[in-house]
Amino acid sequence: MQAPSFPKTSNTPSNNFQNKLSPPQKLPTLHGNNISLVQSTSVPIPRAISITAPTHHEIPNLDVEIDDNVTAYWDYQFLFMSQRSETDVPVSLRVVEGSIPSDFPIGTYFLTGPGMFADDHGSTVHPLDGHGYLRSFTIDSVTREVKFMARYIKTEAQVEERDPETGQWRFTHRGPFSVLKGGKMVGNTKVMKNVANTSVVKWGGKLLCLWEGGSPYEIESMSLDTVGTVNIMDDEYGSSKSLPADDHHHKETSSGGFWEVAAQVLKPMLYGVFKMPPKRLLSHYKIDTCRHRLLMMSCNAEDMLLPRSNFTFYEFDSNFKLVESQEFNIPDHLMIHDWAFTDNHYILFGNRIKLDVGGSMAAVCGLSPMISALSVNPSKPTSPIYLLPRFKNSHEKRDWKVPIEAPSQLWVLHVGNAFEAKNEKTGDSDIQIQASGCSYEWFNFQKMFGYDWKSGKLDPSMMNVNDKLLPHLVKISVKLDSEGSCKKCNVNDLGQWSKASDFPVINQDYCGRKNTYTYASTSSGSRQALPNFPFDTVVKINSTNKSVSSWSTGRRRFIGEPIFIPRGNGKEDDGYLLVVEYAVSTQRCYLVILDAKLIGENSALVARVEVPRYLNFPMVAKLNYNDPPQVGRPEVRIVQIPDTRVTKPMDDSI
């Protein structure tokens, strides 16, 4: 077997990396805007900074006044600023470079992510616990116009925490990753803060914003009004009870006894006290374009605390009717954030976790984040891959309960694609998975994005350690014989690209089948103070000839997650890439359109569209693009929305 791509870790990883970018003791005052960097011996994290209305004065470049370590620290904070402005009136955006191409598919680009990180009473939250802030870019290639809207998703927590009269915020829900310093700590059971901030999908006429652990929120796609929660697992969406008799909810089990009793004990506490739903819908979904199906996955709430895992998969047709549903019970303590599918399998790359008893006690008491009840489990030098039969009558010879052990201790973050090919003569099968993964030694539930819940500060050093530990792109290759036994499993860098990278995406029409091109966010490494993250480059990898090409932003500009928009002529890389760009020196956000075929050439940039500064938004986001009506694709209509109020930003200092 191939040697592991990641360093092995001890059973007690420290995750104590040295802080290289400490907040400065003295900071300059910036004039011309109402953002003030005050001199202090104890510089706090920027709190709920409102983005000021556009003026004729740009924020001066910090790096001409102070060294780049200081600039890098504040650049990182600016990427996670709170946004208090919304607009339910379409705002016309200015194209500042290039033009909207005439063959760009008319549609709407939806972008969701956390938007509020600090309240008005001293509490800050982890970026993943920020309230969902939904944005839409409607692109019309005929008029060459781009319209922009931005609204907070009115979740139960958002309605409770924001005063509609004053616009002030008071956090009352802890969320899984945070502790409220300015709110109730001890005895606060409001852990499941469904902020609908993780991903967005439009399917079967419904626009849904998802979160990792609760029901999706339905949004009216034209006005961005919040309709309310939907339970896609109940009868309204065609639950197991409404499936035909020969396609009923299929369950395979492999454990019981003591852990089943423990689950029954835990359920009343989790469901009743902490308000956790029995099944937690994962935020990552897949689209099988060949079958015109939306694929989703859930896990059981109690399995977070038990050494077993229950996963249920759902397949919906283009009318959002459930056509397939299977549940699998795996005797291993796993955390799954993203997954894959092929024509025959659901594929889970298992991230092993364990219960932290001390952390659990502190979490239940409200003295530490609820996520501190868990820690990574590096006890084995390998990583389990579960090949689960996608269809119950597949006559699978392989025992799906027995995982393939990949020869690398790899924590998988995001999956770009997976596909399989069968040799009709020998019966052997080859399966390939393209993903991003990191070292167990680096991954820490309590320090993601460098957030320190004790101080409320964001430390960019956490994201800029040895790049061999950080997320990067990998290719996992599995060869099975005709009986389903594993003959070989290799883990290699994808396309020989070894730099820190994440968010692999492909042309969605190739999901579940062989693809050549993968795109991802990565770093050019040109900035010494922030060599690995935030990302500033889009990389394109050709897995056939191993070639690599890239496009990078300018200095002190960063990017989010790319998405591929096909032109529609059937060629895999003939299309456009959309990516959001953040120019921290001028506090501007841009929507960038790239020609996917020209990545690596000077002409790759097609258009750069500017968002008004008062509608700037934080970096963390998940996106979805919707074309006009097609089979298996959701519909988007462009209409004029009546004029209504645009909320004014509030002033806050750092």
Side-chain angles (χ1 to χ4, degrees):
M1 288 186 175
Q2 183 81 13
S5 301
F6 291 87
K8 297 179 181 179
T9 68
S10 66
N11 289 342
T12 56
S14 66
N15 288 297
N16 292 326
F17 299 108
Q18 183 178 2
N19 186 338
K20 301 177 183 178
L21 299 175
S22 299
Q25 298 297 309
K26 293 184 178 181
L27 292 169
T29 298
L30 300 182
H31 303 285
N33 292 274
N34 64 352
I35 297 179
S36 173
L37 303 183
V38 293
Q39 180 175 327
S40 172
T41 57
S42 180
V43 180
I45 202 70
R47 49 175 304 279
I49 308 169
S50 72
I51 292 89
T52 58
T55 69
H56 296 295
H57 305 285
E58 298 293 342
I59 296 178
N61 288 327
L62 293 176
D63 52 347
V64 302
E65 301 181 35
I66 47 184
D67 67 71
D68 193 48
N69 281 342
V70 175
T71 308
Y73 175 83
W74 286 105
D75 282 357
Y76 195 72
Q77 313 307 314
F78 283 142
L79 291 175
F80 297 94
M81 293 187 302
S82 294
Q83 170 56 286
R84 299 192 176 229
S85 295
E86 304 174 82
T87 175
D88 47 14
V89 179
V91 176
S92 294
L93 302 186
R94 185 167 65 102
V95 179
V96 296
E97 188 172 355
S99 61
I100 305 300
S102 59
D103 62 350
F104 194 94
I106 297 175
T108 301
Y109 168 53
F110 293 102
L111 185 72
T112 190
M116 186 59 60
F117 308 113
D119 69 4
D120 298 294
H121 300 274
S123 288
T124 62
V125 295
H126 189 283
L128 298 181
D129 285 333
H131 283 288
Y133 188 62
L134 180 63
R135 288 131 288 173
S136 67
F137 295 84
T138 299
I139 303 174
D140 190 333
S141 57
V142 177
T143 62
R144 307 293 179 93
E145 290 183 330
V146 179
K147 301 281 189 178
F148 177 77
M149 293 178 64
R151 302 282 301 278
Y152 271 101
I153 302 163
K154 294 189 180 300
T155 64
E156 180 181 348
Q158 194 271 352
V159 171
E160 178 178 319
E161 295 186 345
R162 182 181 183 274
D163 188 321
E165 298 298 326
T166 65
Q168 290 201 339
W169 295 75
R170 179 188 289 274
F171 294 159
T172 58
H173 291 66
R174 292 166 54 187
F177 299 94
S178 309
V179 171
L180 301 183
K181 296 298 181 67
K184 183 179 180 181
M185 294 176 58
V186 178
N188 188 338
T189 60
K190 295 181 178 180
V191 176
M192 300 309 291
K193 184 178 182 178
N194 186 343
V195 284
N197 68 0
T198 313
S199 65
V200 56
V201 61
K202 194 162 190 285
W203 189 263
K206 294 181 180 293
L207 177 64
L208 303 179
C209 288
L210 291 80
W211 178 65
E212 197 87 323
S215 297
Y217 273 82
E218 183 180 352
I219 307 296
E220 206 290 313
S221 60
M222 293 177 287
S223 65
L224 302 190
D225 286 336
T226 302
V227 178
T229 57
V230 293
N231 185 354
I232 68 167
M233 295 169 280
D234 67 13
D235 286 336
E236 179 184 353
Y237 290 87
S239 72
S240 57
K241 296 179 181 179
S242 63
L243 288 174
D246 59 346
D247 268 336
H248 65 278
H249 189 85
H250 178 64
K251 182 176 181 179
E252 298 277 5
T253 59
S254 59
S255 65
F258 175 78
W259 295 120
E260 185 59 35
V261 173
Q264 296 304 318
V265 173
L266 280 173
K267 287 177 181 179
M269 181 180 68
L270 296 178
Y271 303 171
V273 178
F274 291 101
K275 308 300 181 183
M276 294 185 182
K279 287 187 179 293
R280 299 169 46 248
L281 190 69
L282 272 64
S283 59
H284 278 280
Y285 58 86
K286 306 297 174 182
I287 295 179
D288 184 339
T289 55
C290 293
R291 290 184 172 89
H292 310 305
R293 290 185 179 183
L294 171 68
L295 281 56
M296 306 187 84
M297 173 184 167
S298 71
C299 59
N300 289 6
E302 66 273 11
D303 293 340
M304 297 296 291
L305 304 176
L306 299 176
R308 69 171 199 186
S309 304
N310 290 273
F311 299 110
T312 305
F313 294 86
Y314 313 89
E315 299 200 15
F316 300 92
D317 66 14
S318 57
N319 294 317
F320 230 132
K321 179 182 177 181
L322 185 65
V323 292
E324 296 282 347
S325 177
Q326 289 198 84
E327 182 174 354
F328 300 89
N329 186 301
I330 296 174
D332 203 351
H333 204 180
L334 305 175
M335 174 169 283
I336 306 296
H337 175 61
D338 202 358
W339 51 285
F341 77 95
T342 66
D343 280 341
N344 302 310
H345 295 97
Y346 303 117
I347 301 178
L348 300 183
F349 202 106
N351 300 320
R352 288 191 169 106
I353 59 176
K354 60 184 178 181
L355 181 66
D356 186 317
V357 177
S360 299
M361 297 177 64
V364 170
C365 294
L367 301 178
S368 69
M370 187 56 71
I371 197 65
S372 60
L374 300 175
S375 61
V376 300
N377 182 4
S379 60
K380 295 183 179 181
T382 58
S383 298
I385 302 174
Y386 287 91
L387 302 178
L388 308 178
R390 185 173 169 186
F391 306 106
K392 70 170 188 175
N393 297 321
S394 61
H395 306 294
E396 185 89 9
K397 294 181 180 180
R398 175 182 174 78
D399 184 358
W400 60 263
K401 306 179 193 70
V402 179
I404 294 168
E405 295 289 346
S408 178
Q409 196 178 69
L410 174 67
W411 186 278
V412 166
L413 298 170
H414 297 103
V415 179
N417 193 30
F419 56 87
E420 59 183 294
K422 186 173 183 178
N423 187 316
E424 296 300 334
K425 293 182 177 179
T426 64
D428 292 357
S429 296
D430 291 292
I431 298 175
Q432 185 179 124
I433 309 165
Q434 301 161 359
S436 64
C438 64
S439 166
Y440 272 56
E441 182 181 348
W442 173 80
F443 189 84
N444 188 322
F445 286 118
Q446 299 184 51
K447 294 185 178 180
M448 287 189 284
F449 295 103
Y451 180 80
D452 184 345
W453 62 268
K454 295 180 181 179
S455 66
K457 295 180 180 178
L458 286 156
D459 177 15
S461 298
M462 176 67 185
M463 308 295 293
N464 287 281
V465 296
N466 181 347
D467 60 2
K468 295 299 182 183
L469 304 175
L470 294 171
H472 65 266
L473 304 178
V474 294
K475 179 181 71 175
I476 302 104
S477 302
V478 178
K479 180 177 283 295
L480 305 176
D481 64 20
S482 59
E483 298 299 315
S485 299
C486 180
K487 298 174 64 175
K488 182 170 63 174
C489 181
N490 296 331
V491 179
N492 298 292
D493 291 335
L494 181 60
Q496 300 179 349
W497 182 260
S498 59
K499 290 185 177 181
S501 310
D502 201 358
F503 310 122
V505 297
I506 66 168
N507 182 335
Q508 186 173 274
D509 292 339
Y510 286 76
C511 282
R513 58 193 182 103
K514 181 176 175 57
N515 66 294
T516 299
Y517 301 101
T518 302
Y519 310 88
S521 299
T522 186
S523 177
S524 64
S526 60
R527 190 170 181 183
Q528 185 175 1
L530 297 172
N532 299 310
F533 188 85
F535 298 132
D536 62 1
T537 298
V538 174
V539 63
K540 175 184 180 181
I541 298 174
N542 185 322
S543 58
T544 300
N545 61 21
K546 312 297 184 184
S547 65
V548 175
S549 54
S550 63
W551 172 88
S552 296
T553 64
R555 177 169 171 74
R556 297 185 65 201
R557 290 173 179 253
F558 306 108
I559 64 168
E561 176 180 353
I563 186 172
F564 185 91
I565 312 298
R567 281 193 177 97
N569 61 12
K571 297 181 180 179
E572 185 181 344
D573 70 337
D574 192 6
Y576 297 100
L577 290 170
L578 291 181
V579 67
V580 171
E581 178 185 81
Y582 307 82
V584 293
S585 61
T586 58
Q587 291 298 288
R588 293 281 191 177
C589 288
Y590 300 89
L591 178 65
V592 173
I593 303 176
L594 303 172
D595 189 322
K597 292 181 70 70
L598 300 179
I599 296 295
E601 301 182 17
N602 293 333
S603 55
L605 178 64
V606 175
R608 179 179 276 118
V609 184
E610 183 180 72
V611 176
R613 187 183 297 154
Y614 73 99
L615 291 172
N616 243 5
F617 45 83
M619 182 177 72
V620 186
K622 183 68 180 179
L623 41 92
N624 177 269
Y625 193 84
N626 289 281
D627 299 355
Q630 296 180 35
V631 176
R633 292 183 182 268
E635 71 281 1
V636 170
R637 292 182 297 158
I638 302 174
V639 301
Q640 182 63 41
I641 300 175
D643 289 342
T644 52
R645 178 174 61 92
V646 178
T647 306
K648 294 182 180 179
M650 296 178 64
D651 293 336
D652 284 285
S653 59
I654 292 176

